[in-house]
């Protein structure tokens, strides 16, 4: 979510914008996130995120978290409607990127759901392999909360709410 976290203040400052059609709807908006979601901008933001984690923890975690941060751009590339520039501010007016899966909402929702369930499963598998921390919250409880909250968010998103 790092790229979207940086997107929020730029959106509030009207530097990055969203064009929504009347009535809104799932995946119908064209997003002008020309800094945070440009290829080079995403690489820079991911490198900054990874560098912070490297400084704060270690090299391995820095590389891992930088890669995870950049995975957001790769996943957005699948769904965005050709609105992601290569260079920040769409410098050079290069072709805009995005495979546009949002044009087929059912397929997009299924892909989102599958990626989400796979991510939660990976979390659950990794968390349960760790030694018990002695707290009351178990990996299964966190998994249940993640599945429920994710299902609610995806449902609201799919309904265009
Ligand atoms: Zn995004």
């Amino acid at each position: 979510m790092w790229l979207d976290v940086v997107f929020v203040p730029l959106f509030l400052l009207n530097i990055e914008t969203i064009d929504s059609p009347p009535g809104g709807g799932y995946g119908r908006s064209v997003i002008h996130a020309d800094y945070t979601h440009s290829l080079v901008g995403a690489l820079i933001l991911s490198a900054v995120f990874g560098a912070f984690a490297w400084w704060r923890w270690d090299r391995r975690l820095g590389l891992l978290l930088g890669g995870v941060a950049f995975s957001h751009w790769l996943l957005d590339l699948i769904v965005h409607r050709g609105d992601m520039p290569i260079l920040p501010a769409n410098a050079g007016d290069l072709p805009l990127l995005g495979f546009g899966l949002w044009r087929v909402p059912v397929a997009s929702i299924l892909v989102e759901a599958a990626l989400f369930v796979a991510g939660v499963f990976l979390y659950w598998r990794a968390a349960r392999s760790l030694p018990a921390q002695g707290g009351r919250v178990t990996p299964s409880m966190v998994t249940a909360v993640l599945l429920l909250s994710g299902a609610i968010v995806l449902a609201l998103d799919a309904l265009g709410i």
Side-chain angles (χ1 to χ4, degrees), residues 14 27 39 46 66 117 137 155 158:
N14 213 30
L39 173 58
S46 301
V117 169
V137 178

Side-chain angles (χ1 to χ4, degrees), residues 4 37 72 76:
D4 285 350
H37 287 62
H72 177 108
D76 271 1

